[in-house]
Every structure is written in structure tokens, then in C-alpha cells.
Amino acid sequence: MKKILFPLLLAVVLVCGFTACGSPESLTAGLKLELTGIERAGDGTVRVMWSVQNPNVFSYVLDKTSHKLSLNGTLVGTITDNSRMGVPAQSHAERTGVLTPAKPPAAAVIDQAVNRGSAAYRLDSIVNVLLLDDKFEKRSLAASGTVTVTAK
């Protein structure tokens, strides 16, 4: 039995070494962010709706997410969410955050997007994924596409 144990253990170590077994990147591979809508209220505040897609068989808990949002190539602001967010296995979770505007040109870019009804976006995000108890792994995620922009 002892003669088989060492080669078996060595094989497991080699396989894990070559496949990044247990690395946080492999655990959270496939997580995707996307904007689902942008809405400007009458008082000028901008609400941003976003979702996390999880194709994996594991559920995740995200903690303290921050996003930089660009519309039509111009940085318009940031969204920060300090509350935890559960993302079920092979499903998605949605959130709404308030945009903290960047420089004054941001308002003009948002106005143009409202007039057009949509905008090309780029979302650069940092998410903290809860791995175990109080151990977190920071992940950078990026998304781009077209989003609907409305006004109330």
C-alpha cells in the first residue's frame, strides 16, 4: 500500500500543478459582468443596473464591488457597492447602483445617450470574491457592449 501511495500523491500534485488546480482564477473562471440599463432621474442622479453571469457549478459571494463606467469612449463615473451579493450557480444576480459622476463632460455624454436611447459602454470592475470565511480574492473583470439609456 505504501508503494502505491507515493506515486499516486505525486501524480495528483503534478496534475494540479499543470491545471492550476485550486487557484482563484480557475475557481471563478467564466464570471461575466454586463450592464442591463442606465436610467437618469429627474433630479439628475443616474442609476446603473448591472448583472453578474455565473456559468459555473459553484455559487459565489461578491463583496465590495467597484466599477468604472465609460460611455461612447468617455469616462462618466464610478459605481461602488459595499454590500454582499450572492451569485447562484449557473445563474445570474442583478444589482442597481448610483453613479458617482466624473468630470462635467460626463453629464453631456449621458444627455447624448439619453437622446439616442442607447450608448456603447465599457465597464472596468474590481470584485472581491469571498473564498473562505474572511479570505477574499480581488478579481478584475471588464465588459463592453451596448446598453439602453433612459430618462424618467
Side-chain angles (χ1 to χ4, degrees), residues 27-36 49-60 62 85-95 121 123 127 129 139 141-143:
L27 292 175
T28 57
L31 285 182
K32 292 180 185 172
L33 289 177
E34 87 174 324
L35 285 187
T36 56
M49 287 71 72
W50 54 279
S51 71
V52 179
Q53 307 292 325
N54 178 11
N56 301 319
V57 295
F58 303 107
S59 296
Y60 297 102
L62 303 184
M85 175 182 189
V87 185
Q90 298 180 334
S91 187
H92 71 282
E94 297 178 351
R95 256 314 143 86
Y121 76 87
L123 191 65
V127 297
V129 180
R139 292 293 317 265
L141 299 173

PDB file of all heavy atoms in Angstrom, residues 27-36 49-60 62 85-95 121 123 127 129 139 141-143:
ATOM      1  N   LEU A  27     -11.109  28.988 -10.077  1.00  0.00           N
ATOM      2  CA  LEU A  27     -12.348  28.844  -9.325  1.00  0.00           C
ATOM      3  C   LEU A  27     -13.426  29.797  -9.821  1.00  0.00           C
ATOM      4  O   LEU A  27     -14.604  29.468  -9.794  1.00  0.00           O
ATOM      5  CB  LEU A  27     -12.102  29.093  -7.834  1.00  0.00           C
ATOM      6  CG  LEU A  27     -11.255  28.065  -7.107  1.00  0.00           C
ATOM      7  CD1 LEU A  27     -10.998  28.504  -5.674  1.00  0.00           C
ATOM      8  CD2 LEU A  27     -11.925  26.701  -7.129  1.00  0.00           C
ATOM      9  N   THR A  28     -13.043  30.981 -10.240  1.00  0.00           N
ATOM     10  CA  THR A  28     -14.025  31.987 -10.663  1.00  0.00           C
ATOM     11  C   THR A  28     -14.022  32.206 -12.174  1.00  0.00           C
ATOM     12  O   THR A  28     -14.615  33.171 -12.648  1.00  0.00           O
ATOM     13  CB  THR A  28     -13.764  33.322  -9.950  1.00  0.00           C
ATOM     14  OG1 THR A  28     -12.435  33.751 -10.225  1.00  0.00           O
ATOM     15  CG2 THR A  28     -13.962  33.195  -8.455  1.00  0.00           C
ATOM     16  N   ALA A  29     -13.384  31.332 -12.918  1.00  0.00           N
ATOM     17  CA  ALA A  29     -13.337  31.473 -14.374  1.00  0.00           C
ATOM     18  C   ALA A  29     -14.754  31.479 -14.934  1.00  0.00           C
ATOM     19  O   ALA A  29     -15.613  30.722 -14.494  1.00  0.00           O
ATOM     20  CB  ALA A  29     -12.534  30.339 -14.988  1.00  0.00           C
ATOM     21  N   GLY A  30     -14.991  32.351 -15.866  1.00  0.00           N
ATOM     22  CA  GLY A  30     -16.293  32.398 -16.517  1.00  0.00           C
ATOM     23  C   GLY A  30     -17.243  33.444 -15.963  1.00  0.00           C
ATOM     24  O   GLY A  30     -18.264  33.723 -16.585  1.00  0.00           O
ATOM     25  N   LEU A  31     -16.957  34.025 -14.797  1.00  0.00           N
ATOM     26  CA  LEU A  31     -17.825  35.089 -14.286  1.00  0.00           C
ATOM     27  C   LEU A  31     -17.807  36.259 -15.260  1.00  0.00           C
ATOM     28  O   LEU A  31     -16.750  36.673 -15.720  1.00  0.00           O
ATOM     29  CB  LEU A  31     -17.356  35.591 -12.918  1.00  0.00           C
ATOM     30  CG  LEU A  31     -17.625  34.710 -11.713  1.00  0.00           C
ATOM     31  CD1 LEU A  31     -17.129  35.396 -10.446  1.00  0.00           C
ATOM     32  CD2 LEU A  31     -19.090  34.373 -11.580  1.00  0.00           C
ATOM     33  N   LYS A  32     -18.993  36.777 -15.594  1.00  0.00           N
ATOM     34  CA  LYS A  32     -19.081  37.879 -16.547  1.00  0.00           C
ATOM     35  C   LYS A  32     -20.015  38.954 -16.005  1.00  0.00           C
ATOM     36  O   LYS A  32     -21.045  38.652 -15.410  1.00  0.00           O
ATOM     37  CB  LYS A  32     -19.643  37.392 -17.884  1.00  0.00           C
ATOM     38  CG  LYS A  32     -18.725  36.460 -18.619  1.00  0.00           C
ATOM     39  CD  LYS A  32     -19.341  36.025 -19.922  1.00  0.00           C
ATOM     40  CE  LYS A  32     -18.462  34.991 -20.573  1.00  0.00           C
ATOM     41  NZ  LYS A  32     -19.080  34.400 -21.747  1.00  0.00           N
ATOM     42  N   LEU A  33     -19.627  40.194 -16.229  1.00  0.00           N
ATOM     43  CA  LEU A  33     -20.464  41.341 -15.882  1.00  0.00           C
ATOM     44  C   LEU A  33     -21.090  41.898 -17.150  1.00  0.00           C
ATOM     45  O   LEU A  33     -20.510  41.803 -18.237  1.00  0.00           O
ATOM     46  CB  LEU A  33     -19.617  42.456 -15.262  1.00  0.00           C
ATOM     47  CG  LEU A  33     -19.063  42.221 -13.875  1.00  0.00           C
ATOM     48  CD1 LEU A  33     -18.192  43.389 -13.471  1.00  0.00           C
ATOM     49  CD2 LEU A  33     -20.174  42.043 -12.880  1.00  0.00           C
ATOM     50  N   GLU A  34     -22.259  42.501 -16.994  1.00  0.00           N
ATOM     51  CA  GLU A  34     -22.840  43.232 -18.110  1.00  0.00           C
ATOM     52  C   GLU A  34     -23.781  44.297 -17.564  1.00  0.00           C
ATOM     53  O   GLU A  34     -24.385  44.134 -16.499  1.00  0.00           O
ATOM     54  CB  GLU A  34     -23.543  42.307 -19.092  1.00  0.00           C
ATOM     55  CG  GLU A  34     -24.949  42.000 -18.788  1.00  0.00           C
ATOM     56  CD  GLU A  34     -25.642  41.184 -19.885  1.00  0.00           C
ATOM     57  OE1 GLU A  34     -25.374  41.379 -21.085  1.00  0.00           O
ATOM     58  OE2 GLU A  34     -26.460  40.360 -19.500  1.00  0.00           O
ATOM     59  N   LEU A  35     -23.845  45.412 -18.262  1.00  0.00           N
ATOM     60  CA  LEU A  35     -24.810  46.451 -17.923  1.00  0.00           C
ATOM     61  C   LEU A  35     -26.144  46.065 -18.523  1.00  0.00           C
ATOM     62  O   LEU A  35     -26.217  45.616 -19.669  1.00  0.00           O
ATOM     63  CB  LEU A  35     -24.393  47.807 -18.485  1.00  0.00           C
ATOM     64  CG  LEU A  35     -23.259  48.534 -17.795  1.00  0.00           C
ATOM     65  CD1 LEU A  35     -23.100  49.935 -18.386  1.00  0.00           C
ATOM     66  CD2 LEU A  35     -23.462  48.621 -16.316  1.00  0.00           C
ATOM     67  N   THR A  36     -27.216  46.251 -17.754  1.00  0.00           N
ATOM     68  CA  THR A  36     -28.544  45.925 -18.263  1.00  0.00           C
ATOM     69  C   THR A  36     -29.386  47.171 -18.489  1.00  0.00           C
ATOM     70  O   THR A  36     -30.425  47.094 -19.119  1.00  0.00           O
ATOM     71  CB  THR A  36     -29.269  44.961 -17.306  1.00  0.00           C
ATOM     72  OG1 THR A  36     -29.323  45.535 -16.002  1.00  0.00           O
ATOM     73  CG2 THR A  36     -28.541  43.628 -17.243  1.00  0.00           C
ATOM     74  N   MET A  49     -27.942  49.737 -13.754  1.00  0.00           N
ATOM     75  CA  MET A  49     -28.327  48.363 -13.485  1.00  0.00           C
ATOM     76  C   MET A  49     -27.299  47.433 -14.135  1.00  0.00           C
ATOM     77  O   MET A  49     -26.983  47.601 -15.309  1.00  0.00           O
ATOM     78  CB  MET A  49     -29.724  48.064 -14.036  1.00  0.00           C
ATOM     79  CG  MET A  49     -30.864  48.698 -13.263  1.00  0.00           C
ATOM     80  SD  MET A  49     -31.032  50.481 -13.405  1.00  0.00           S
ATOM     81  CE  MET A  49     -31.636  50.713 -15.040  1.00  0.00           C
ATOM     82  N   TRP A  50     -26.784  46.494 -13.346  1.00  0.00           N
ATOM     83  CA  TRP A  50     -25.782  45.566 -13.855  1.00  0.00           C
ATOM     84  C   TRP A  50     -26.054  44.171 -13.325  1.00  0.00           C
ATOM     85  O   TRP A  50     -26.780  43.999 -12.352  1.00  0.00           O
ATOM     86  CB  TRP A  50     -24.368  46.022 -13.515  1.00  0.00           C
ATOM     87  CG  TRP A  50     -24.108  46.286 -12.059  1.00  0.00           C
ATOM     88  CD1 TRP A  50     -24.421  47.413 -11.352  1.00  0.00           C
ATOM     89  CD2 TRP A  50     -23.474  45.417 -11.127  1.00  0.00           C
ATOM     90  NE1 TRP A  50     -24.026  47.299 -10.049  1.00  0.00           N
ATOM     91  CE2 TRP A  50     -23.437  46.078  -9.880  1.00  0.00           C
ATOM     92  CE3 TRP A  50     -22.934  44.141 -11.214  1.00  0.00           C
ATOM     93  CZ2 TRP A  50     -22.889  45.507  -8.746  1.00  0.00           C
ATOM     94  CZ3 TRP A  50     -22.379  43.573 -10.082  1.00  0.00           C
ATOM     95  CH2 TRP A  50     -22.355  44.253  -8.867  1.00  0.00           C
ATOM     96  N   SER A  51     -25.493  43.183 -13.988  1.00  0.00           N
ATOM     97  CA  SER A  51     -25.676  41.801 -13.546  1.00  0.00           C
ATOM     98  C   SER A  51     -24.368  41.031 -13.665  1.00  0.00           C
ATOM     99  O   SER A  51     -23.472  41.395 -14.418  1.00  0.00           O
ATOM    100  CB  SER A  51     -26.781  41.107 -14.346  1.00  0.00           C
ATOM    101  OG  SER A  51     -26.359  40.858 -15.663  1.00  0.00           O
ATOM    102  N   VAL A  52     -24.305  39.962 -12.890  1.00  0.00           N
ATOM    103  CA  VAL A  52     -23.168  39.037 -12.923  1.00  0.00           C
ATOM    104  C   VAL A  52     -23.702  37.700 -13.413  1.00  0.00           C
ATOM    105  O   VAL A  52     -24.658  37.167 -12.840  1.00  0.00           O
ATOM    106  CB  VAL A  52     -22.539  38.861 -11.530  1.00  0.00           C
ATOM    107  CG1 VAL A  52     -21.373  37.885 -11.596  1.00  0.00           C
ATOM    108  CG2 VAL A  52     -22.090  40.184 -10.960  1.00  0.00           C
ATOM    109  N   GLN A  53     -23.120  37.187 -14.474  1.00  0.00           N
ATOM    110  CA  GLN A  53     -23.482  35.881 -15.012  1.00  0.00           C
ATOM    111  C   GLN A  53     -22.509  34.846 -14.452  1.00  0.00           C
ATOM    112  O   GLN A  53     -21.299  35.057 -14.499  1.00  0.00           O
ATOM    113  CB  GLN A  53     -23.384  35.886 -16.543  1.00  0.00           C
ATOM    114  CG  GLN A  53     -24.152  36.994 -17.214  1.00  0.00           C
ATOM    115  CD  GLN A  53     -25.642  36.852 -17.077  1.00  0.00           C
ATOM    116  OE1 GLN A  53     -26.166  35.750 -17.072  1.00  0.00           O
ATOM    117  NE2 GLN A  53     -26.316  37.964 -16.932  1.00  0.00           N
ATOM    118  N   ASN A  54     -23.028  33.730 -13.939  1.00  0.00           N
ATOM    119  CA  ASN A  54     -22.198  32.672 -13.366  1.00  0.00           C
ATOM    120  C   ASN A  54     -22.513  31.354 -14.059  1.00  0.00           C
ATOM    121  O   ASN A  54     -23.504  30.702 -13.736  1.00  0.00           O
ATOM    122  CB  ASN A  54     -22.452  32.562 -11.864  1.00  0.00           C
ATOM    123  CG  ASN A  54     -21.657  31.451 -11.222  1.00  0.00           C
ATOM    124  OD1 ASN A  54     -20.758  30.879 -11.829  1.00  0.00           O
ATOM    125  ND2 ASN A  54     -21.981  31.134  -9.989  1.00  0.00           N
ATOM    126  N   PRO A  55     -21.666  30.918 -15.002  1.00  0.00           N
ATOM    127  CA  PRO A  55     -21.914  29.652 -15.684  1.00  0.00           C
ATOM    128  C   PRO A  55     -21.408  28.439 -14.893  1.00  0.00           C
ATOM    129  O   PRO A  55     -21.622  27.304 -15.299  1.00  0.00           O
ATOM    130  CB  PRO A  55     -21.109  29.806 -16.980  1.00  0.00           C
ATOM    131  CG  PRO A  55     -19.946  30.652 -16.565  1.00  0.00           C
ATOM    132  CD  PRO A  55     -20.513  31.625 -15.548  1.00  0.00           C
ATOM    133  N   ASN A  56     -20.747  28.670 -13.776  1.00  0.00           N
ATOM    134  CA  ASN A  56     -20.097  27.599 -13.016  1.00  0.00           C
ATOM    135  C   ASN A  56     -21.073  26.835 -12.126  1.00  0.00           C
ATOM    136  O   ASN A  56     -22.180  27.287 -11.864  1.00  0.00           O
ATOM    137  CB  ASN A  56     -18.965  28.184 -12.170  1.00  0.00           C
ATOM    138  CG  ASN A  56     -17.934  28.876 -13.033  1.00  0.00           C
ATOM    139  OD1 ASN A  56     -17.577  28.381 -14.095  1.00  0.00           O
ATOM    140  ND2 ASN A  56     -17.477  30.029 -12.600  1.00  0.00           N
ATOM    141  N   VAL A  57     -20.625  25.694 -11.609  1.00  0.00           N
ATOM    142  CA  VAL A  57     -21.445  24.868 -10.718  1.00  0.00           C
ATOM    143  C   VAL A  57     -21.280  25.289  -9.258  1.00  0.00           C
ATOM    144  O   VAL A  57     -21.852  24.666  -8.380  1.00  0.00           O
ATOM    145  CB  VAL A  57     -21.120  23.367 -10.879  1.00  0.00           C
ATOM    146  CG1 VAL A  57     -21.499  22.886 -12.270  1.00  0.00           C
ATOM    147  CG2 VAL A  57     -19.663  23.089 -10.583  1.00  0.00           C
ATOM    148  N   PHE A  58     -20.518  26.345  -9.013  1.00  0.00           N
ATOM    149  CA  PHE A  58     -20.325  26.873  -7.670  1.00  0.00           C
ATOM    150  C   PHE A  58     -21.069  28.190  -7.525  1.00  0.00           C
ATOM    151  O   PHE A  58     -21.102  28.984  -8.450  1.00  0.00           O
ATOM    152  CB  PHE A  58     -18.836  27.140  -7.387  1.00  0.00           C
ATOM    153  CG  PHE A  58     -17.959  25.942  -7.558  1.00  0.00           C
ATOM    154  CD1 PHE A  58     -17.119  25.836  -8.645  1.00  0.00           C
ATOM    155  CD2 PHE A  58     -17.973  24.920  -6.630  1.00  0.00           C
ATOM    156  CE1 PHE A  58     -16.298  24.731  -8.812  1.00  0.00           C
ATOM    157  CE2 PHE A  58     -17.165  23.816  -6.782  1.00  0.00           C
ATOM    158  CZ  PHE A  58     -16.322  23.718  -7.876  1.00  0.00           C
ATOM    159  N   SER A  59     -21.625  28.427  -6.352  1.00  0.00           N
ATOM    160  CA  SER A  59     -22.192  29.741  -6.038  1.00  0.00           C
ATOM    161  C   SER A  59     -21.078  30.624  -5.514  1.00  0.00           C
ATOM    162  O   SER A  59     -20.085  30.135  -4.977  1.00  0.00           O
ATOM    163  CB  SER A  59     -23.272  29.605  -4.964  1.00  0.00           C
ATOM    164  OG  SER A  59     -24.336  28.840  -5.447  1.00  0.00           O
ATOM    165  N   TYR A  60     -21.238  31.940  -5.660  1.00  0.00           N
ATOM    166  CA  TYR A  60     -20.232  32.884  -5.196  1.00  0.00           C
ATOM    167  C   TYR A  60     -20.886  33.965  -4.356  1.00  0.00           C
ATOM    168  O   TYR A  60     -22.069  34.268  -4.514  1.00  0.00           O
ATOM    169  CB  TYR A  60     -19.515  33.555  -6.378  1.00  0.00           C
ATOM    170  CG  TYR A  60     -18.753  32.593  -7.230  1.00  0.00           C
ATOM    171  CD1 TYR A  60     -19.261  32.158  -8.446  1.00  0.00           C
ATOM    172  CD2 TYR A  60     -17.524  32.101  -6.821  1.00  0.00           C
ATOM    173  CE1 TYR A  60     -18.563  31.256  -9.230  1.00  0.00           C
ATOM    174  CE2 TYR A  60     -16.820  31.204  -7.598  1.00  0.00           C
ATOM    175  CZ  TYR A  60     -17.345  30.787  -8.798  1.00  0.00           C
ATOM    176  OH  TYR A  60     -16.665  29.892  -9.571  1.00  0.00           O
ATOM    177  N   LEU A  62     -20.029  37.925  -3.685  1.00  0.00           N
ATOM    178  CA  LEU A  62     -19.196  39.068  -4.041  1.00  0.00           C
ATOM    179  C   LEU A  62     -19.321  40.097  -2.930  1.00  0.00           C
ATOM    180  O   LEU A  62     -20.382  40.281  -2.351  1.00  0.00           O
ATOM    181  CB  LEU A  62     -19.638  39.677  -5.364  1.00  0.00           C
ATOM    182  CG  LEU A  62     -19.670  38.756  -6.570  1.00  0.00           C
ATOM    183  CD1 LEU A  62     -20.033  39.538  -7.818  1.00  0.00           C
ATOM    184  CD2 LEU A  62     -18.355  38.034  -6.749  1.00  0.00           C
ATOM    185  N   MET A  85     -23.201  40.282  -2.244  1.00  0.00           N
ATOM    186  CA  MET A  85     -24.112  39.879  -3.310  1.00  0.00           C
ATOM    187  C   MET A  85     -23.907  38.398  -3.590  1.00  0.00           C
ATOM    188  O   MET A  85     -22.801  37.975  -3.931  1.00  0.00           O
ATOM    189  CB  MET A  85     -23.789  40.703  -4.561  1.00  0.00           C
ATOM    190  CG  MET A  85     -24.541  40.337  -5.787  1.00  0.00           C
ATOM    191  SD  MET A  85     -23.939  41.398  -7.136  1.00  0.00           S
ATOM    192  CE  MET A  85     -25.113  40.991  -8.396  1.00  0.00           C
ATOM    193  N   GLY A  86     -24.949  37.613  -3.436  1.00  0.00           N
ATOM    194  CA  GLY A  86     -24.877  36.190  -3.749  1.00  0.00           C
ATOM    195  C   GLY A  86     -25.136  35.960  -5.225  1.00  0.00           C
ATOM    196  O   GLY A  86     -26.041  36.558  -5.802  1.00  0.00           O
ATOM    197  N   VAL A  87     -24.318  35.122  -5.837  1.00  0.00           N
ATOM    198  CA  VAL A  87     -24.486  34.780  -7.249  1.00  0.00           C
ATOM    199  C   VAL A  87     -24.670  33.265  -7.329  1.00  0.00           C
ATOM    200  O   VAL A  87     -23.719  32.509  -7.145  1.00  0.00           O
ATOM    201  CB  VAL A  87     -23.270  35.218  -8.099  1.00  0.00           C
ATOM    202  CG1 VAL A  87     -23.540  34.966  -9.568  1.00  0.00           C
ATOM    203  CG2 VAL A  87     -22.924  36.674  -7.855  1.00  0.00           C
ATOM    204  N   PRO A  88     -25.912  32.811  -7.575  1.00  0.00           N
ATOM    205  CA  PRO A  88     -26.185  31.371  -7.595  1.00  0.00           C
ATOM    206  C   PRO A  88     -25.440  30.642  -8.715  1.00  0.00           C
ATOM    207  O   PRO A  88     -25.081  31.237  -9.732  1.00  0.00           O
ATOM    208  CB  PRO A  88     -27.694  31.292  -7.834  1.00  0.00           C
ATOM    209  CG  PRO A  88     -28.218  32.653  -7.562  1.00  0.00           C
ATOM    210  CD  PRO A  88     -27.096  33.603  -7.812  1.00  0.00           C
ATOM    211  N   ALA A  89     -25.245  29.364  -8.508  1.00  0.00           N
ATOM    212  CA  ALA A  89     -24.597  28.518  -9.519  1.00  0.00           C
ATOM    213  C   ALA A  89     -25.428  28.494 -10.793  1.00  0.00           C
ATOM    214  O   ALA A  89     -26.656  28.424 -10.741  1.00  0.00           O
ATOM    215  CB  ALA A  89     -24.422  27.103  -8.974  1.00  0.00           C
ATOM    216  N   GLN A  90     -24.761  28.568 -11.920  1.00  0.00           N
ATOM    217  CA  GLN A  90     -25.361  28.509 -13.253  1.00  0.00           C
ATOM    218  C   GLN A  90     -26.577  29.435 -13.376  1.00  0.00           C
ATOM    219  O   GLN A  90     -27.605  29.069 -13.926  1.00  0.00           O
ATOM    220  CB  GLN A  90     -25.726  27.073 -13.600  1.00  0.00           C
ATOM    221  CG  GLN A  90     -24.504  26.192 -13.647  1.00  0.00           C
ATOM    222  CD  GLN A  90     -24.819  24.756 -13.976  1.00  0.00           C
ATOM    223  OE1 GLN A  90     -25.909  24.266 -13.730  1.00  0.00           O
ATOM    224  NE2 GLN A  90     -23.843  24.074 -14.537  1.00  0.00           N
ATOM    225  N   SER A  91     -26.414  30.646 -12.883  1.00  0.00           N
ATOM    226  CA  SER A  91     -27.487  31.624 -12.904  1.00  0.00           C
ATOM    227  C   SER A  91     -26.874  33.024 -12.960  1.00  0.00           C
ATOM    228  O   SER A  91     -25.719  33.169 -13.360  1.00  0.00           O
ATOM    229  CB  SER A  91     -28.358  31.469 -11.653  1.00  0.00           C
ATOM    230  OG  SER A  91     -29.503  32.292 -11.733  1.00  0.00           O
ATOM    231  N   HIS A  92     -27.644  34.016 -12.560  1.00  0.00           N
ATOM    232  CA  HIS A  92     -27.141  35.384 -12.541  1.00  0.00           C
ATOM    233  C   HIS A  92     -27.750  36.126 -11.351  1.00  0.00           C
ATOM    234  O   HIS A  92     -28.717  35.673 -10.750  1.00  0.00           O
ATOM    235  CB  HIS A  92     -27.472  36.105 -13.846  1.00  0.00           C
ATOM    236  CG  HIS A  92     -28.930  36.420 -14.014  1.00  0.00           C
ATOM    237  ND1 HIS A  92     -29.846  35.482 -14.384  1.00  0.00           N
ATOM    238  CD2 HIS A  92     -29.613  37.566 -13.809  1.00  0.00           C
ATOM    239  CE1 HIS A  92     -31.041  36.035 -14.429  1.00  0.00           C
ATOM    240  NE2 HIS A  92     -30.934  37.306 -14.077  1.00  0.00           N
ATOM    241  N   ALA A  93     -27.153  37.246 -11.037  1.00  0.00           N
ATOM    242  CA  ALA A  93     -27.662  38.124  -9.982  1.00  0.00           C
ATOM    243  C   ALA A  93     -27.596  39.547 -10.503  1.00  0.00           C
ATOM    244  O   ALA A  93     -26.696  39.899 -11.263  1.00  0.00           O
ATOM    245  CB  ALA A  93     -26.828  37.977  -8.714  1.00  0.00           C
ATOM    246  N   GLU A  94     -28.570  40.362 -10.092  1.00  0.00           N
ATOM    247  CA  GLU A  94     -28.646  41.732 -10.584  1.00  0.00           C
ATOM    248  C   GLU A  94     -28.524  42.721  -9.440  1.00  0.00           C
ATOM    249  O   GLU A  94     -28.911  42.432  -8.310  1.00  0.00           O
ATOM    250  CB  GLU A  94     -29.969  41.946 -11.316  1.00  0.00           C
ATOM    251  CG  GLU A  94     -30.097  41.080 -12.544  1.00  0.00           C
ATOM    252  CD  GLU A  94     -31.426  41.247 -13.255  1.00  0.00           C
ATOM    253  OE1 GLU A  94     -32.326  41.913 -12.711  1.00  0.00           O
ATOM    254  OE2 GLU A  94     -31.552  40.712 -14.357  1.00  0.00           O
ATOM    255  N   ARG A  95     -28.008  43.882  -9.753  1.00  0.00           N
ATOM    256  CA  ARG A  95     -27.841  44.973  -8.788  1.00  0.00           C
ATOM    257  C   ARG A  95     -28.089  46.295  -9.480  1.00  0.00           C
ATOM    258  O   ARG A  95     -27.928  46.421 -10.689  1.00  0.00           O
ATOM    259  CB  ARG A  95     -26.404  45.014  -8.290  1.00  0.00           C
ATOM    260  CG  ARG A  95     -26.002  44.514  -6.953  1.00  0.00           C
ATOM    261  CD  ARG A  95     -26.868  44.935  -5.807  1.00  0.00           C
ATOM    262  NE  ARG A  95     -26.990  43.887  -4.850  1.00  0.00           N
ATOM    263  CZ  ARG A  95     -26.159  43.647  -3.856  1.00  0.00           C
ATOM    264  NH1 ARG A  95     -25.124  44.400  -3.668  1.00  0.00           N
ATOM    265  NH2 ARG A  95     -26.361  42.650  -3.046  1.00  0.00           N
ATOM    266  N   TYR A 121     -20.826  50.988 -24.176  1.00  0.00           N
ATOM    267  CA  TYR A 121     -20.241  51.103 -22.839  1.00  0.00           C
ATOM    268  C   TYR A 121     -19.010  50.228 -22.674  1.00  0.00           C
ATOM    269  O   TYR A 121     -18.811  49.257 -23.390  1.00  0.00           O
ATOM    270  CB  TYR A 121     -21.264  50.755 -21.755  1.00  0.00           C
ATOM    271  CG  TYR A 121     -21.545  49.267 -21.604  1.00  0.00           C
ATOM    272  CD1 TYR A 121     -20.752  48.467 -20.769  1.00  0.00           C
ATOM    273  CD2 TYR A 121     -22.601  48.664 -22.260  1.00  0.00           C
ATOM    274  CE1 TYR A 121     -21.007  47.113 -20.627  1.00  0.00           C
ATOM    275  CE2 TYR A 121     -22.868  47.321 -22.124  1.00  0.00           C
ATOM    276  CZ  TYR A 121     -22.070  46.546 -21.303  1.00  0.00           C
ATOM    277  OH  TYR A 121     -22.318  45.206 -21.158  1.00  0.00           O
ATOM    278  N   LEU A 123     -17.137  48.712 -19.068  1.00  0.00           N
ATOM    279  CA  LEU A 123     -17.212  48.615 -17.615  1.00  0.00           C
ATOM    280  C   LEU A 123     -15.966  47.895 -17.122  1.00  0.00           C
ATOM    281  O   LEU A 123     -15.735  46.745 -17.471  1.00  0.00           O
ATOM    282  CB  LEU A 123     -18.467  47.842 -17.216  1.00  0.00           C
ATOM    283  CG  LEU A 123     -18.879  47.832 -15.763  1.00  0.00           C
ATOM    284  CD1 LEU A 123     -19.259  49.229 -15.305  1.00  0.00           C
ATOM    285  CD2 LEU A 123     -20.030  46.879 -15.528  1.00  0.00           C
ATOM    286  N   VAL A 127     -13.904  43.189  -8.291  1.00  0.00           N
ATOM    287  CA  VAL A 127     -14.832  42.497  -7.392  1.00  0.00           C
ATOM    288  C   VAL A 127     -14.022  41.682  -6.396  1.00  0.00           C
ATOM    289  O   VAL A 127     -12.996  41.102  -6.738  1.00  0.00           O
ATOM    290  CB  VAL A 127     -15.825  41.593  -8.156  1.00  0.00           C
ATOM    291  CG1 VAL A 127     -16.709  42.399  -9.074  1.00  0.00           C
ATOM    292  CG2 VAL A 127     -15.115  40.512  -8.932  1.00  0.00           C
ATOM    293  N   VAL A 129     -14.183  38.444  -4.267  1.00  0.00           N
ATOM    294  CA  VAL A 129     -14.909  37.187  -4.181  1.00  0.00           C
ATOM    295  C   VAL A 129     -14.561  36.532  -2.850  1.00  0.00           C
ATOM    296  O   VAL A 129     -13.381  36.335  -2.543  1.00  0.00           O
ATOM    297  CB  VAL A 129     -14.533  36.246  -5.349  1.00  0.00           C
ATOM    298  CG1 VAL A 129     -15.298  34.939  -5.260  1.00  0.00           C
ATOM    299  CG2 VAL A 129     -14.778  36.932  -6.685  1.00  0.00           C
ATOM    300  N   ARG A 139     -10.653  40.304  -8.030  1.00  0.00           N
ATOM    301  CA  ARG A 139     -10.665  39.945  -9.440  1.00  0.00           C
ATOM    302  C   ARG A 139     -10.985  41.179 -10.261  1.00  0.00           C
ATOM    303  O   ARG A 139     -11.848  41.969  -9.901  1.00  0.00           O
ATOM    304  CB  ARG A 139     -11.741  38.897  -9.726  1.00  0.00           C
ATOM    305  CG  ARG A 139     -11.521  37.532  -9.132  1.00  0.00           C
ATOM    306  CD  ARG A 139     -10.331  36.798  -9.720  1.00  0.00           C
ATOM    307  NE  ARG A 139     -10.206  36.890 -11.151  1.00  0.00           N
ATOM    308  CZ  ARG A 139     -10.666  36.005 -12.012  1.00  0.00           C
ATOM    309  NH1 ARG A 139     -11.277  34.941 -11.601  1.00  0.00           N
ATOM    310  NH2 ARG A 139     -10.489  36.181 -13.300  1.00  0.00           N
ATOM    311  N   LEU A 141     -12.550  42.421 -13.712  1.00  0.00           N
ATOM    312  CA  LEU A 141     -13.417  41.984 -14.797  1.00  0.00           C
ATOM    313  C   LEU A 141     -13.710  43.181 -15.689  1.00  0.00           C
ATOM    314  O   LEU A 141     -13.804  44.311 -15.208  1.00  0.00           O
ATOM    315  CB  LEU A 141     -14.729  41.419 -14.251  1.00  0.00           C
ATOM    316  CG  LEU A 141     -14.637  40.206 -13.335  1.00  0.00           C
ATOM    317  CD1 LEU A 141     -16.008  39.876 -12.756  1.00  0.00           C
ATOM    318  CD2 LEU A 141     -14.087  39.001 -14.080  1.00  0.00           C
ATOM    319  N   ALA A 142     -13.865  42.942 -16.955  1.00  0.00           N
ATOM    320  CA  ALA A 142     -14.199  44.009 -17.895  1.00  0.00           C
ATOM    321  C   ALA A 142     -15.349  43.534 -18.782  1.00  0.00           C
ATOM    322  O   ALA A 142     -15.472  42.344 -19.064  1.00  0.00           O
ATOM    323  CB  ALA A 142     -12.996  44.376 -18.747  1.00  0.00           C
ATOM    324  N   ALA A 143     -16.169  44.478 -19.156  1.00  0.00           N
ATOM    325  CA  ALA A 143     -17.287  44.161 -20.042  1.00  0.00           C
ATOM    326  C   ALA A 143     -17.494  45.337 -20.984  1.00  0.00           C
ATOM    327  O   ALA A 143     -17.169  46.477 -20.663  1.00  0.00           O
ATOM    328  CB  ALA A 143     -18.555  43.925 -19.227  1.00  0.00           C
TER     329      ALA A 143
END
